Amino acid sequence: MVYLEGDFQAKGWVHLAAHRIVRWLQTVLAQVPSRTEEETLARVAQHISNNTAKPMRGPYSDWESWLDSFVGINTRWESIGLLWTHMECISDILDALIPRKLVRSKNNTSGHAAKTYLESCIRLTRHFTEESDLLADLYRRRSILISLVDGELGLPIWEAHGAAVTYVIYMNLHAPDISTPYKPSAWSENNRRLAAALFVFDKIGVMLTGRPPLLSHRYFTAPLPLDLRDEDLIAGSDALERAISSLDERGWNTDGGLYPATVARARCMMAMIRDELIEVTLNSGRNPSLEYLMDLKDREYTLVAEFPTSLRYEPRDLEDPQPDTQSLYMKIITHLEHLQNIFFIDRLLIRCGYEIRDNLLETSLTLASLTLHFWIHKDQFADAIIHRSFEWLMLSYGAPAAGILCQEVLGEGEHSKDPNISRSTVIQQLSLLVGFFDWVRPSAPNAKLCVNCRGIIQRVLDQCLNAAAQPVGPTFPIWSFGEQPDFSFELMDTFDWLRAAAP
């Protein structure tokens, strides 16, 4: 890794921590030139190990005392691991877009090295101590890094996420004590953001793989983080008090800003509803009532309607010729997660025999077109951190929608009454999806799954365009799904209509 010299402006605690850790390392490694490099490294490693042997548990009433516990002379192995995740821009979804001063060296072109060294730092930390708030954050960041390096479907990410959930529960961050009056600090707000981010990540995994969640809303009682700027959390007690007093009664900022905490709050709120949906889907007993599902749907719409305007997506946002890319990116992702909830609620309504497919088709078409917007306008969303998200965005939101669109063009769905949704519109979106999956590079972590999705959609298009005169059902081929995840419950498998056994 390389640290870029020049002016430094702290955008949040992790940027400031990385700066102080690097400066301390530079100082101690340059001392006592008479020693060999091996001797110097051994002394520094021993010092770091001694620090790590001390448990790191809060509370920390102010940000300086918290940072001082793991930077500078108190640098720990967790601190070194944090540097590797910071270099790889592994953070929350908005902070990851902020440029770093700590970057890869020229000969380091992938995240594999960071993954290796991060795992070593975690093992060393676990060797010296059992309790560390910062280690809980490292476990979460490791899960994200492994998903980027190895993909979202394999055993490595499942093991990493399981370890993260286990440690967070061990540290009781999923259900902290709320019996005493809460005084926000950088330490306490980071713990809240950590818990919220892990809960959201857990639901993303369910939607991608169909596996049961590891965290349930029934025993996840961590309060939402307050909608505070990262800069306010490290600005001193007076500035923090002013920022807190400016929040509304629900904890949202009133200055119209879009901050990492804004996004974290919204995503966790929607994930709570998604977890209820997952729970009723996994229930092997009787179907949920129509009243319950419609209440779930109403709550989802009400929730999103109450989001701050800075986070609320409007179709006209796409018409701006020079948009704020980061703001638009956050708005679209938030809206996609909202649509995903509606999509699966509508699927469950249909499976239970309560509704027709009109709403589902419209939602599917919007999911596909919005997800494709990132790829179609990739010159606008040119940031490398956004580009690396294209695959999981398409697999999370575009691919499930594609299953419904494929049913429609094959004549197995219920045609929408909306005159704006024509057969040609659906075919155009499916063709663009094929283009995206073909664009994914063969070395990408989820390349095999993208190839399979492309093949399935392409065959559907061939079937409906080249053999339109032939009957569909009985003559439709049964294909091997290869790397496609074997969903454990039918609702999440949007390609379940291709899994029918041969007659």
Side-chain angles (χ1 to χ4, degrees):
M1 62 176 71
V2 176
Y3 195 72
L4 303 177
E5 297 298 334
D7 293 337
F8 171 76
Q9 293 182 343
K11 297 296 184 181
W13 74 264
V14 69
H15 297 263
L16 184 56
H19 177 74
R20 292 186 177 183
I21 295 166
V22 168
R23 288 302 189 217
W24 178 79
L25 287 172
Q26 290 174 333
T27 299
V28 297
L29 291 175
Q31 291 175 350
V32 195
S34 60
R35 291 198 184 100
T36 65
E37 180 180 350
E38 184 176 345
E39 289 174 333
T40 301
L41 290 174
R43 288 175 63 88
V44 172
Q46 184 62 56
H47 181 85
I48 293 174
S49 298
N50 292 340
N51 289 339
T52 310
K54 306 169 187 175
M56 183 183 172
R57 292 297 304 264
Y60 297 94
S61 59
D62 60 87
W63 70 271
E64 281 283 8
S65 61
W66 178 47
L67 250 65
D68 285 346
S69 68
F70 62 90
V71 304
I73 197 171
N74 294 315
T75 293
R76 306 162 61 95
W77 284 118
E78 302 100 299
S79 314
I80 306 302
L82 185 66
L83 293 183
W84 288 104
T85 63
H86 186 66
M87 182 191 74
E88 293 294 324
C89 299
I90 305 299
S91 184
D92 61 71
I93 197 168
L94 187 54
D95 178 76
L97 301 176
I98 299 175
R100 266 67 169 152
K101 291 178 70 64
L102 191 64
V103 298
R104 292 175 179 174
S105 57
K106 290 184 179 180
N107 60 346
N108 182 8
T109 58
S110 75
H112 288 279
K115 186 187 81 165
T116 299
Y117 294 128
L118 173 59
E119 290 179 336
S120 296
C121 289
I122 289 176
R123 284 195 300 271
L124 283 166
T125 303
R126 288 287 292 109
H127 176 76
F128 289 107
T129 189
E130 291 187 352
E131 297 186 352
S132 168
D133 295 321
L134 190 56
L135 179 58
D137 205 352
L138 276 194
Y139 271 120
R140 178 190 70 85
R141 293 169 190 262
R142 181 183 67 160
S143 297
I144 299 173
L145 180 58
I146 288 177
S147 73
L148 293 172
V149 173
D150 298 324
E152 286 86 359
L153 301 176
L155 181 60
I157 180 58
W158 188 248
E159 290 179 326
H161 177 57
V165 171
T166 299
Y167 196 75
V168 162
I169 291 176
Y170 170 73
M171 295 290 288
N172 210 42
L173 298 178
H174 70 298
D177 180 15
I178 55 176
S179 61
T180 57
Y182 177 61
K183 184 177 181 180
S185 66
W187 167 79
S188 62
E189 283 297 300
N190 185 66
N191 283 348
R192 287 187 173 193
R193 292 187 191 185
L194 161 62
L198 194 65
F199 190 82
V200 171
F201 192 83
D202 188 60
K203 308 315 153 202
I204 292 174
V206 174
M207 296 305 184
L208 275 169
T209 67
R211 299 187 183 104
L214 301 184
L215 282 171
S216 169
H217 68 279
R218 294 191 177 277
Y219 57 82
F220 182 89
T221 59
L224 289 169
L226 298 175
D227 191 7
L228 297 167
R229 296 190 314 153
D230 288 358
E231 293 87 343
D232 290 331
L233 292 173
I234 57 171
S237 58
D238 292 341
L240 180 57
E241 285 296 334
R242 287 194 298 270
I244 294 170
S245 63
S246 70
L247 301 176
D248 68 18
E249 66 279 2
R250 294 173 298 173
W252 295 108
N253 78 74
T254 56
D255 58 14
L258 179 59
Y259 312 128
T262 315
V263 180
R265 286 169 57 86
R267 297 183 79 193
C268 190
M269 289 175 176
M270 290 187 289
M272 287 290 181
I273 292 180
R274 193 172 309 133
D275 194 56
E276 287 190 56
L277 173 62
I278 292 167
E279 185 178 71
V280 298
T281 303
L282 285 168
N283 187 353
S284 58
R286 62 185 178 86
N287 288 334
S289 67
L290 174 61
E291 291 74 21
Y292 176 77
L293 292 177
M294 293 308 296
D295 175 68
L296 206 59
K297 196 171 184 178
D298 289 343
R299 281 193 283 134
E300 173 66 25
Y301 278 117
T302 300
L303 174 67
V304 173
E306 294 176 351
F307 283 169
T309 54
S310 62
L311 197 57
R312 249 182 277 159
Y313 166 81
E314 298 290 346
R316 64 174 178 269
D317 292 335
L318 303 183
E319 301 171 5
D320 188 344
Q322 293 183 320
D324 180 336
T325 303
Q326 291 188 9
S327 176
L328 182 58
Y329 179 60
M330 290 300 104
K331 285 183 177 182
I332 292 178
I333 285 184
T334 304
H335 193 60
L336 285 172
E337 294 196 354
H338 160 63
L339 290 175
Q340 186 185 60
N341 279 3
I342 299 300
F343 175 87
F344 285 114
I345 291 172
D346 284 344
R347 287 211 74 204
L348 191 53
L349 284 165
I350 292 167
R351 193 186 75 174
C352 296
Y354 296 134
E355 285 200 355
I356 61 174
R357 291 177 180 264
D358 282 347
N359 292 337
L360 181 60
L361 178 59
E362 294 163 15
T363 302
S364 300
L365 198 60
T366 306
L367 271 170
S369 61
L370 260 185
T371 310
L372 283 164
H373 183 83
F374 291 123
W375 177 63
I376 294 171
H377 299 277
K378 53 183 176 288
D379 56 332
Q380 185 181 88
F381 298 93
D383 191 289
I385 304 303
I386 296 180
H387 273 211
R388 78 183 184 185
S389 302
F390 283 0
E391 293 163 47
W392 79 261
L393 285 170
M394 193 61 69
L395 292 173
S396 294
Y397 310 113
I404 301 302
L405 299 182
C406 284
Q407 291 184 51
E408 191 65 27
V409 297
L410 287 173
E412 297 182 4
E414 296 290 338
H415 290 281
S416 172
K417 297 180 177 65
D418 187 341
N420 295 319
I421 301 180
S422 64
R423 181 179 174 85
S424 63
T425 301
V426 176
I427 290 175
Q428 287 169 19
Q429 292 301 311
L430 288 174
S431 299
L432 287 170
L433 286 166
V434 169
F436 169 81
F437 288 125
D438 189 53
W439 171 80
V440 174
R441 65 192 189 283
S443 60
N446 297 307
K448 289 184 179 179
L449 181 54
C450 290
V451 168
N452 290 336
C453 289
R454 180 195 65 194
I456 291 169
I457 299 171
Q458 186 65 64
R459 292 193 190 192
V460 169
L461 290 173
D462 292 343
Q463 178 76 14
C464 70
L465 295 175
N466 298 338
Q470 300 178 9
V472 182
T475 61
F476 198 74
I478 297 172
W479 300 310
S480 168
F481 278 67
E483 293 292 319
Q484 201 217 355
D486 185 12
F487 292 86
S488 59
F489 43 96
E490 177 270 341
L491 177 66
M492 302 303 174
D493 187 354
T494 53
F495 290 110
D496 57 359
W497 49 284
L498 292 177
R499 289 188 183 277

